[in-house]
């Protein structure tokens, strides 16, 4: 299985990389990998942070959050932002970046009271709710009575319908993921309210992180600074050992992670 990995070069026949260098690559689920120079990105360890930060806040999820919020959703300071999957790898960064870039209100949804508590009391979200405790539209209306300007969608279906319903005029939606539907065998029943997009002139745009590599230096600068000064929290759930990798993957899909799910070899 492919997937992001960070590790140490043990042997090299390329001039750019030496044994001991730390690299990120996409070969994933294995202890050793033969990579070409163009497959491996050399990174610098950051004092006080695990190397796995390059798989989270300073890696693909970070880039997804950063470019998705700032470029795809065209966030501007003062926006009220709602993110679903908010306690996960991407979502936890979207909310924090929005807060640090001057959002007027940051709202998140997640699948347990423990995660809701984490969003408000650890990550500094203004409000959060457990989507399993009642209809998303009703819970969102309670915490965002004046509506939202940006919705960062990690979930789709009922969440997307609720967010469309709560959007202000000229709102923007970044479609990042639709995890509620990944295992469905039937098309989702929601959203049923797409017509709202017309009257409120709402923009909804799909995105892939891979298209936003040009933002990597900005991500490393901004998020790197926030990590160093402690204004952004990098959370991960760490599972030990390659044999536990499939279960870790299944647990991630079922909500067993807070922040980035990492398997340490
Ligand atoms: N477009 C891109 O380039 C790109 C890049 C990276 C990721 N993504 C997408 O972004 C989303 C987040 O990815 P991630 O890596 O950060 O994963 P993650 O949020 O760390 O983990 C997935 C989370 O989804 C939640 N979830 C699972 N089933 C759900 C459901 N039916 N309804 C609501 N929430 C559900 C679970 O949290 P709860 O406990 O809160 O349910 C789980 O922890 C995914 O949809 C992923 O496919 C897209």
């Amino acid at each position: 299985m492919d997937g992001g990995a960070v590790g140490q070069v043990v042997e090299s026949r390329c001039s750019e990389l030496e044994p001991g260098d730390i690299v990120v690559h996409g070969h994933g689920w294995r202890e050793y990998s033969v990579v070409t120079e163009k497959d491996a990105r050399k990174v610098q360890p950051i004092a006080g942070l695990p190397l796995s930060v390059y798989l989270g806040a300073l890696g693909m999820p970070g880039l997804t959050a950063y470019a998705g919020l700032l470029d795809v959703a065209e966030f501007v300071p003062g926006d009220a932002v709602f993110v679903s999957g908010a306690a996960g790898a991407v979502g936890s960064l979207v909310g924090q970046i929005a807060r640090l870039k001057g959002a007027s209100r940051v709202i998140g949804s997640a699948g347990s009271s423990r995660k809701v508590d984490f969003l408000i009391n650890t990550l500094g979200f203004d409000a959060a709710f457990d989507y399993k405790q009642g209809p998303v539209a009703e819970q969102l209306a309670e915490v965002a009575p004046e509506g939202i300007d940006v919705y960062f969608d990690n979930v789709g279906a009922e969440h997307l319908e609720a967010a469309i319903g709560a959007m202000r005029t000229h709102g923007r939606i970044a479609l990042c993921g639709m995890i509620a539907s990944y295992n469905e065998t039937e098309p989702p029943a929601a959203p049923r309210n797409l017509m709202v997009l017309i009257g409120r002139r709402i923009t909804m745009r799909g995105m892939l992180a891979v298209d936003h590599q040009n933002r990597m230096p900005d991500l490393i600068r901004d998020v790197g600074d926030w990590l160093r000064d402690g204004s952004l929290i990098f959370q991960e759930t760490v599972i030990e050992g390659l044999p536990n990798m499939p279960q870790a993957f299944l647990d991630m899909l079922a909500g067993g992670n807070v922040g980035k799910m990492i398997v340490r070899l």
Side-chain angles (χ1 to χ4, degrees), residues 88-90 110-111 115 131 154 176-177 179 182 207-209 252-253 255 257:
V90 174
K115 289 186 179 182
Y131 67 87
N154 288 314
C176 172
I179 200 164
Y182 292 166
M207 69 161 295
L208 282 179
M252 179 275 293
L253 290 174
N257 59 311

Side-chain angles (χ1 to χ4, degrees), residues 176-192:
C176 172
M178 297 201 171
I179 200 164
S181 307
Y182 292 166
N183 280 333
E184 295 296 337
T185 52
E186 299 290 326
R192 297 162 296 178

